[in-house]
Amino acid sequence: MWWLLLVPYLLVGVILVYSYVQWTRRKMYAMLATMSSPKALPVIGHAHKFYNSTPEGLADTLKYFGSFPSPVCIHMGPLPHVGVFDPESLQVILNSPHCLQKSLQYSFLGISSSIFSSPSDIWKIQRKAFNPAFGPAVLASFVPTFNKKCSLLMNILQQYEGKPEKDFSRDLVKCALDEICETTFGCEFNMQLSSEGDYALDMSEGFVDMVAERCFTIWKYPDFIYRWTKSYREQVKYVDAFYDTIMGKVERREGIEKIMNDLSNAETSEKSQNFLYCLSKYLSLQGPTSRDDILAHFGLNIVAGLETKARTISSTLFMLAMHPEIQERCYQEIVSVCPGENQFISTEDVRKLTYLEMVIKETMRLFPAAALMARVATSDIKISGNKTIPENTTIIIGTYQIHRDPKIWGPKADQFDPDNFLPENVADRHPYSFIPFSAGPRNCIGLRYAWLSMKILIAYILRRYRLSTSVKYDELRVAYGIFLSIVNGNPMKIERRVV
């Protein structure tokens, strides 16, 4: 057949293209060759390790790569990745001016113009513009809101008193949503009491699931392909419904653009420079801004803050339910600082809850909401004497693996022990051994907001309720998605404390 005559030419063409790629990448391959790497298959490299990977299986896959000396070269077909599982390399990477760019997967969230995933040059401007929104004076002004929303949550949780175990994570999420909406927009939406709260959470969870599903399906990475899929149509539905529920309330009040224009032209005190005010100032200097870009900033503040904060609170309470002696110690600390069941918890009170902070940190060590992070090297990054990460390489940061590394945390690294965060133990560890909020210049801008709100909410619950669960710690399984989740859920029984 005539087409058989083309086979030799096609083979020669493939060989020439392959040889050209190898030659042009010889410098990059030389850099990668200095790193450890599992045995790779021809052409596909290590991609087979991720084939049909599931959210639960990904943790095991990364544990496999983490067993090799860090940094680890991971070949995903023709695309090189470098896995980092040691704090020394991580410190260099996260502080490098050439590693501020987020990886492709962050764009799947549809908030590429926001501070969470914007290009590094834009991020620098945004970070400077938004920093005042998370200053001490502004955060202190939020404390009454946190107390008010937590008091309402206590009334809601009464329905579960003395009842069989239940996962009441959604109630915690709605409380967090209420807090974020009021502190961000200055609007009291009462999501804890409204059916719109459950609807907003359904839409948010559906969106996060769609994004996670795309991250695990390589062929859906190109936008021009993904836009033809059912998943894309579902994702758009979730996003539109979520914005209509949350932002529709703001727009019906006065209109987003009018509110932001009024704010950008207004004089305000230091404690009034909340996120909405800083965003309006920032956008007023950028010229005409589309509604979608404005919504991207709002979406980041709600979804990212909501998911990370609520998951950490739920996981912390779950850990305390499994460890009654640690729960009792937290309770004693809380009542020694603010004993009244409904007593206002001040910023100064929060500072005194040092053991509770250790418990939350230990929870974030074992179950970090962001179990996996990824950056792109925009230039060569030298991380040690003979090891350099080449330009355009995707860097995979294994937070979950670093947080459980026995070389750092000892032989009981997988066990729950808040004493890991005693001052003397912290002093003996590398500062980049614990990175739940990332680290370096592009760390989480809202970490102080998260700490303040989380400690107040957990203190309110422990001050009133004793928690228990039949789930054993050794039975827990985790799953990777956009955020880490405990597969078992968080079923707990709550009982009113008798004072």
Side-chain angles (χ1 to χ4, degrees), residues 200-312:
L201 294 195
D202 289 340
M203 297 302 101
S204 176
E205 291 167 1
F207 167 73
V208 169
D209 288 344
M210 287 292 101
V211 175
E213 189 265 343
R214 186 181 183 187
C215 289
F216 284 96
T217 314
I218 301 296
W219 66 267
K220 291 183 179 180
Y221 276 29
D223 282 337
F224 72 90
I225 294 177
Y226 186 61
R227 289 178 181 275
W228 287 94
T229 66
K230 180 181 178 182
S231 298
Y232 172 74
R233 293 190 293 273
E234 288 289 309
Q235 183 173 321
V236 170
K237 181 189 74 173
Y238 288 131
V239 171
D240 289 345
F242 181 77
Y243 281 137
D244 285 344
T245 303
I246 304 296
M247 301 317 304
K249 289 178 173 290
V250 180
E251 289 189 297
R252 286 192 292 272
R253 193 179 73 172
E254 291 182 85
I256 292 175
E257 289 80 2
K258 182 178 184 302
I259 292 172
M260 299 188 72
N261 287 335
D262 290 345
L263 284 169
S264 64
N265 295 321
E267 295 296 327
T268 185
S269 64
E270 182 183 358
K271 69 178 182 179
S272 300
Q273 296 183 40
N274 62 12
F275 179 80
L276 188 59
Y277 175 83
C278 291
L279 177 61
S280 66
K281 285 290 187 182
Y282 164 74
L283 291 180
S284 68
L285 299 175
Q286 306 306 306
T289 304
S290 69
R291 180 177 181 273
D292 286 345
D293 281 344
I294 295 174
L295 292 179
H297 290 287
F298 289 156
L300 157 73
N301 209 44
I302 296 173
V303 177
L306 181 66
E307 289 287 340
T308 55
K309 172 184 167 181
R311 286 174 189 266
T312 299

Side-chain angles (χ1 to χ4, degrees), residues 345-394:
I345 301 177
S346 67
T347 306
E348 185 57 36
D349 293 334
V350 170
R351 293 194 190 100
K352 296 176 183 177
L353 300 177
T354 55
Y355 187 69
L356 176 59
E357 182 169 320
M358 290 167 56
V359 169
I360 299 173
K361 284 182 176 179
E362 179 68 352
T363 302
M364 290 193 294
R365 178 182 77 84
L366 293 166
F367 306 100
L372 185 67
M373 297 182 285
R375 300 281 181 90
V376 176
T378 54
S379 186
D380 293 351
I381 302 173
K382 185 175 182 179
I383 56 177
S384 66
N386 69 330
K387 291 183 173 60
T388 299
I389 297 177
E391 181 180 1
N392 296 324
T393 301
T394 297

Side-chain angles (χ1 to χ4, degrees), residues 462-477:
L462 293 184
R463 196 166 55 177
R464 177 177 291 196
Y465 294 112
R466 180 176 286 105
L467 311 173
S468 61
T469 181
S470 61
V471 180
K472 305 301 180 185
Y473 181 81
D474 293 340
E475 299 171 353
L476 296 181
R477 292 178 293 117

Side-chain angles (χ1 to χ4, degrees), residues 132-153:
F134 299 93
V138 176
L139 294 180
S141 72
F142 295 159
V143 171
T145 297
F146 295 150
N147 277 267
K148 177 176 64 176
K149 299 304 180 183
C150 289
S151 293
L152 178 57
L153 175 64

Side-chain angles (χ1 to χ4, degrees), residues 17 19 50 127 130-131 155 205 215 228 241 267 294 310 355 413 418 455 476 479 491 496:
V17 170
S19 300
F50 295 89
R127 183 69 181 235
F130 299 154
N131 269 335
N155 295 333
E205 291 167 1
C215 289
W228 287 94
E267 295 296 327
I294 295 174
Y355 187 69
K455 290 173 78 172
L476 296 181
R496 192 71 170 259

